Amino acid sequence: GSPFIREGSVVLTHGRSKVVEALLLRAALVEKKRFRVMVLEGRPDAGGAKSARTYANAGIPATVVLDSAMGYIMESVDLAIVGAEGVVENGGVVNKVGTFALGVMAKEMGVPLYVAAESYKFTRLYPLNNADLPEMGGVMGGASLKFVDTLAWSANSTSNAIEENKSARIATTDANSSSSLHPYVVDLPPSVSIENPPCDFTPAKYITLLFTDLGVLTPSAVSDELIRLYQ
């Protein structure tokens, strides 16, 4: 997939994928291409921010963008690359939640969306929409998800306060480890439920190509490869 990374291009990624990281690091460090990476933050586990750190450590210019700002920055990128938790029989992919919205937006704005995934993630599932996915609501925290006013937190956090909280954080149990954030956590009443799906389904029509160890595939070729893999 690295030949699709052109000199001077701006690449948008979402979530944290070891395959995507390896592809971009190869393009930068082995093929010596110069490009920039825009990384969606990746709530709630900050997967994108963690990837941005990897790229920056390798000397690749990286920018972290709020997930909700993907439409805002889409017009300034040349291509989008994501990984996959699974590649299904109809050529669609299951990946970190937000990939579906990214695919719809990329197609609307004429930005190619590439998926980088290993062939062992090909699976004989045939979802037609997100309602067909297995129940995954509790995988990434479910009702334990906290909503933090990060603007207020960053504006009121001082180096002294951080130092004062270090010993407290060390002494607290896991259940109370967010005590330093307490003034900035948005307390929700019990009547408010939290929807926190870890993944969503992106139909094949939003995917340009898949980069795999079997070669570069069109979404329509996935079913043929699955037949060969399961023979």
Side-chain angles (χ1 to χ4, degrees), residues 43-44 95-98 136-140 142 194-200:
R43 281 274 290 161
N95 193 45
K96 183 178 179 68
V97 68
M136 297 177 291
V139 174
M140 292 176 66
I194 297 174
E195 187 77 18
N196 183 27
C199 299
D200 60 22

Side-chain angles (χ1 to χ4, degrees), residues 2 40 44 51 59 80 82 87-88 92 94 124 135 145 154 179 190 228:
S2 57
L40 294 174
S51 281
V82 298
V87 180
V88 300
V94 177
R124 299 181 73 175
E135 177 60 42
L145 182 67
S154 60
S179 59
R228 294 190 185 95

Side-chain angles (χ1 to χ4, degrees), residues 153-154 156-169 180:
W153 178 32
S154 60
N156 289 279
S157 292
T158 64
S159 58
N160 289 335
I162 293 171
E163 290 300 322
E164 289 171 1
N165 282 324
K166 279 184 179 178
S167 58
R169 283 199 297 269
S180 63

